[in-house]
Amino acid sequence: MSEGDRMATVELRFSAQPEHVRTARLVAAAVARRAGVDEAVLDEVRLAVGEACSRAVGLHRSNGVTDPVRVVLTEEEKTFSIEVGDGVPGAGVAAADAAGVPGSRDGAPTEDFDDAEGEDEMGLAVISGLVDDVEVSAGEHGGVIRMSWPTTPAIVLP
């Protein structure tokens, strides 16, 4: 399915405040349920989105970024995906590499900077433990964690 065939179901933007993470988790679980994600997986969706959003909030706050955190929930034909974006250029690249999370690193630095990088690595490791299909990308305009889950088609009764 090409990029143009994807339809964003919901897009959230929120200020980098920890109290907004709960709202993002609740919205993600509700949209995932509607998209057909298995009920048994919804807790994993909630936890992964909470971890990704908490990571983005922490990156924004520690780097003085005032842009909102972005969450895009997309329903495709057989998958449901969530992208959590931060506005911190090159953030989390070394952590993603250390956690073994696949992705692209568009010319971003890869060295560790401080203890925050260790926390970032732990958060990405938690996410990769919860989600089978996860990818981290980082570039000059910020980073994105993309997670996806399979959906089951709705059964139409005659």
Side-chain angles (χ1 to χ4, degrees):
M1 186 174 285
S2 72
E3 186 77 14
D5 292 338
R6 294 180 2 173
M7 185 178 121
T9 306
V10 175
E11 183 171 351
L12 300 173
R13 291 179 184 269
F14 61 90
S15 59
Q17 301 296 325
E19 55 269 19
H20 297 313
V21 172
R22 182 174 189 265
T23 302
R25 282 194 318 252
L26 293 171
V27 170
V31 176
R33 178 180 285 120
R34 188 183 67 89
V37 173
D38 190 287
E39 198 71 29
V41 181
L42 292 178
D43 280 341
E44 294 172 9
V45 171
R46 244 188 308 274
L47 289 169
V49 169
E51 195 64 44
C53 288
S54 292
R55 175 187 173 275
V57 166
L59 287 169
H60 277 226
R61 293 170 69 106
S62 65
N63 289 282
V65 174
T66 58
D67 293 344
V69 172
R70 301 172 319 277
V71 182
V72 178
L73 303 106
T74 306
E75 183 179 349
E76 299 176 64
E77 188 176 334
K78 295 182 181 180
T79 60
F80 173 70
S81 65
I82 300 175
E83 294 180 0
V84 177
D86 63 70
V88 181
V93 174
D97 291 341
V101 179
S104 62
R105 284 80 160 135
D106 300 334
T110 59
E111 64 273 355
D112 289 337
F113 294 106
D114 55 21
D115 288 341
E117 191 72 25
E119 289 178 25
D120 194 26
E121 181 180 324
M122 179 65 80
L124 290 171
V126 168
I127 292 167
S128 65
L130 290 167
V131 184
D132 290 336
D133 185 11
V134 62
E135 182 178 315
V136 176
S137 61
E140 64 183 64
H141 299 294
V144 174
I145 297 176
R146 184 175 194 277
M147 306 166 281
S148 64
W149 295 266
T151 58
T152 52
I155 299 173
V156 179
L157 299 175

